[in-house]
Amino acid sequence: MAQEKIQVTIKTEFIKLDSLLKFAGLCDTGGFAKELVQQGAVSVNGEVCTMRGKKIRSGDVVSVDKFVVEVQ
């Protein structure tokens, strides 16, 4: 299964995981982003992450389903 890469540029030091999912267009609402994270559907740098407030920094790679978000 091919993964679709999305590149997201942040202008701050970090972005919270749930905010990144909305910012990248993978979730319509913060509530949906929270559910995805709490269900273990999101990986950060190859490891499942269930902390929706996790700080995502430039260079991190977040995976959800068939999407890969590269943060820069």
Side-chain angles (χ1 to χ4, degrees), residues 5-70:
K5 286 195 175 172
I6 301 169
Q7 291 194 326
V8 173
T9 303
I10 58 171
K11 303 208 177 343
T12 52
E13 181 190 344
F14 65 85
I15 184 169
K16 290 187 178 169
L17 182 55
D18 56 352
S19 300
L20 175 70
L21 295 177
K22 281 194 333 193
F23 186 62
L26 299 180
C27 295
D28 295 335
T29 65
F32 183 51
K34 176 180 162 185
E35 278 183 41
L36 272 181
V37 173
Q38 288 179 334
Q39 290 169 2
V42 181
S43 295
V44 177
N45 298 327
E47 292 185 21
V48 172
C49 179
T50 54
M51 292 174 15
R52 72 176 206 258
K54 175 154 179 72
K55 294 176 180 175
I56 305 300
R57 293 178 161 77
S58 182
D60 285 342
V61 177
V62 176
S63 306
V64 183
D65 195 20
K66 64 182 189 291
F67 299 98
V68 176
V69 181
E70 296 175 346

